[in-house]
Amino acid sequence: MSDQDEVEHVVSKDGSSTLYVPHLNEHYHSTNGAVQESMHVFINSALNKFEGEQVSVLEFGFGTGLNAFLTLINAKADVHYHSMEKYPLNTDKIALLNYGQIEEGRHQVHFNNLHQANWGEEAEIKEGFHLYKQQCDFKTVLLEQKYNLIYFDAFAPDVQPILWTKDIFKKAYEALLPGGILTTYCAKGVVRRTMQEVGFSVERLPGPPGKREMLRATK
């Protein structure tokens, strides 16, 4: 999604921002509640299930930075966060987002730092939270590290089916440590079966507001 001129700001039902891409007819986050969706799918269903003093997270789709931001706020362990994005948002679009107002704005500086961090360089956003943003294509990127958690937050399969293939999920599976977890908002049967084909154990979970189900896959 290289042309951002027409990307529109939308306030979701929980008061938090999302962005709408007209030519894809797709939102970055749920209009039923952007923060609620991210908390449910990635924080409560993945991050909060991890027990340990240090957690490594791989994210497919940095987007608005919401998942990284909520991880920073909620993590009880030291975090090494690696996020991949082919088309980073420009500063005009980032300025529309209201996530920094969470918890009465106490973390606004951290939200700003997430976006101001250089691509291709690891940055310490705050003590115990290290971010590495990588501008790349999911299809061709080489993943040399291993992770405890994967947040799979690409645009929906109907919009960008090439990002939900067996090759992509095989790459994700191989990037996880044994016992590692991948979560996604998507619960389509074809996605679940593709995950199972590459070796994941997959469970359906209740979805966030507006979605009946989501998926959690374990290696």
Side-chain angles (χ1 to χ4, degrees):
M1 202 274 303
S2 56
D3 184 359
Q4 298 179 29
D5 290 343
E6 296 184 358
V7 174
E8 302 170 4
H9 178 253
V10 176
V11 177
S12 68
K13 289 183 179 179
D14 68 1
S16 59
S17 297
T18 185
L19 297 175
Y20 175 64
V21 187
H23 77 272
L24 295 178
N25 190 29
E26 179 77 338
H27 291 85
Y28 274 72
H29 306 287
S30 173
T31 57
N32 289 295
V35 167
Q36 287 180 356
E37 177 189 47
S38 182
M39 284 294 300
H40 183 91
V41 175
F42 301 112
I43 306 305
N44 295 334
S45 301
L47 181 68
N48 289 347
K49 300 300 180 183
F50 177 81
E51 296 181 359
E53 295 181 354
Q54 187 175 97
V55 59
S56 54
V57 181
L58 175 65
E59 179 181 39
F60 283 72
F62 183 73
T64 65
L66 177 57
N67 299 330
F69 184 53
L70 292 176
T71 299
L72 180 151
I73 292 173
N74 290 279
K76 298 177 178 62
D78 287 346
V79 179
H80 286 266
Y81 197 101
H82 177 187
S83 189
M84 302 181 296
E85 176 64 56
K86 188 173 183 180
Y87 301 117
L89 289 171
N90 60 41
T91 54
D92 290 343
K93 303 308 176 189
I94 294 166
L96 299 173
L97 305 172
N98 66 2
Y99 308 135
Q101 298 173 21
I102 292 172
E103 296 187 8
E104 299 180 345
R106 289 196 295 271
H107 304 285
Q108 179 70 60
V109 65
H110 296 137
F111 181 72
N112 294 344
N113 289 342
L114 287 169
H115 283 283
Q116 292 167 5
N118 291 332
W119 290 84
E121 299 177 13
E122 184 172 286
E124 186 175 32
I125 305 302
K126 74 168 190 175
E127 185 178 358
F129 190 97
H130 290 81
L131 173 69
Y132 177 69
K133 297 188 298 187
Q134 184 176 10
Q135 187 172 359
C136 61
D137 190 320
F138 300 168
K139 301 187 297 297
T140 58
V141 66
L142 297 176
L143 298 174
E144 299 176 350
Q145 300 179 41
K146 299 293 184 182
Y147 304 89
N148 302 112
L149 306 175
I150 292 179
Y151 299 167
F152 200 89
D153 202 17
F155 281 143
D158 293 345
V159 176
Q160 291 187 322
I162 199 168
L163 303 182
W164 299 79
T165 63
K166 185 175 180 178
D167 286 344
I168 294 290
F169 283 115
K170 182 179 180 182
K171 183 176 293 188
Y173 183 86
E174 292 174 348
L176 275 173
L177 291 162
I181 291 172
L182 178 153
T183 53
T184 182
Y185 62 88
C186 182
K188 285 184 175 292
V190 64
V191 171
R192 177 176 54 83
R193 291 189 292 272
T194 302
M195 289 179 176
Q196 291 171 329
E197 284 179 21
V198 303
F200 280 112
S201 174
V202 186
E203 55 187 322
R204 297 186 185 95
L205 301 176
K211 289 184 180 290
R212 187 167 61 90
E213 293 180 327
M214 58 164 282
L215 295 178
R216 181 167 61 201
T218 304
K219 180 173 180 177

